[in-house]
Amino acid sequence: MPLSGPARPMPDTLVLLVDFKTSIKHLGIGFHGLRMELVHVRKSDTENGWVMTARREPEWEFPLATARLIRTPLRRPFAGEGSLFRIGIRADGAQQTVMFREIRLFVQESAILRFLNALSGAAFSDFADRVDREQNAWLREVFGAMREDARAAIAP
């Protein structure tokens, strides 16, 4: 429901514009103007999900001459159908609920992408333990809430 004005149907598509910048090992890396579409997809009464697609390359921010060396490999994920992330929930005939995800990301292998992958691996490993603890706590809350909702639905 909108916070102001009359009730109206919510659109099924949301356009997200993302800017990101970080420093990894004293190198400034980032992008500006990443445009993604988030679409709510309801295939049936038993399947509901969301699809995020990125089809347009953002403006990259890399140290000095690096950006000129890597233009082609960074265009590949946005070419054609673009990159896709899909997540959803499906109920099957046995009254089980299944969460699913699909990721499609095409890359063009190159030395610079291996370098960026190594940088991102170093950055993510620095936060891995804390993020894993937070993820496990979040999942515990989600499944606990789902259990309570199921109990409330079953109880007379």
Side-chain angles (χ1 to χ4, degrees):
M1 295 290 293
L3 295 175
S4 62
R8 59 186 180 272
M10 185 173 175
D12 66 348
T13 303
L14 175 68
V15 176
L16 304 170
L17 293 173
V18 181
D19 293 336
F20 174 78
K21 184 175 181 180
T22 189
S23 180
I24 302 174
K25 295 187 179 187
H26 305 292
L27 297 174
I29 297 173
F31 57 83
H32 304 284
L34 175 60
R35 184 180 188 275
M36 298 180 287
E37 291 181 359
L38 178 64
V39 179
H40 177 238
V41 179
R42 184 173 179 92
K43 290 191 172 183
S44 67
D45 288 341
T46 60
E47 186 173 327
N48 203 5
W50 297 265
V51 177
M52 187 176 314
T53 310
R55 293 185 182 96
R56 191 176 75 195
E57 180 184 11
E59 294 177 33
W60 299 102
E61 186 174 320
F62 292 111
L64 301 175
T66 309
R68 298 195 195 302
L69 298 173
I70 58 175
R71 297 304 303 160
T72 302
L74 292 179
R75 286 186 180 126
R76 178 64 180 115
F78 304 98
E81 295 178 10
S83 298
L84 174 133
F85 176 75
R86 179 177 173 226
I87 189 166
I89 299 171
R90 178 183 314 124
D92 67 10
Q95 295 184 348
Q96 292 181 343
T97 301
V98 177
M99 295 176 72
F100 61 89
R101 69 177 177 197
E102 173 188 357
I103 299 172
R104 185 185 66 219
L105 178 67
F106 298 107
V107 295
Q108 180 178 339
E109 185 67 24
S110 68
I112 196 68
L113 280 183
R114 285 191 293 276
F115 169 73
L116 290 174
N117 190 35
L119 281 179
S120 65
F124 285 117
S125 67
D126 290 346
F127 300 107
D129 292 336
R130 185 182 58 149
V131 170
D132 285 342
R133 282 192 303 273
E134 290 176 6
Q135 177 186 14
N136 290 336
W138 181 80
L139 287 171
R140 188 171 35 256
E141 287 182 35
V142 166
F143 288 115
M146 289 172 68
R147 182 180 58 235
E148 293 302 318
D149 288 347
R151 285 182 181 160
I154 294 171

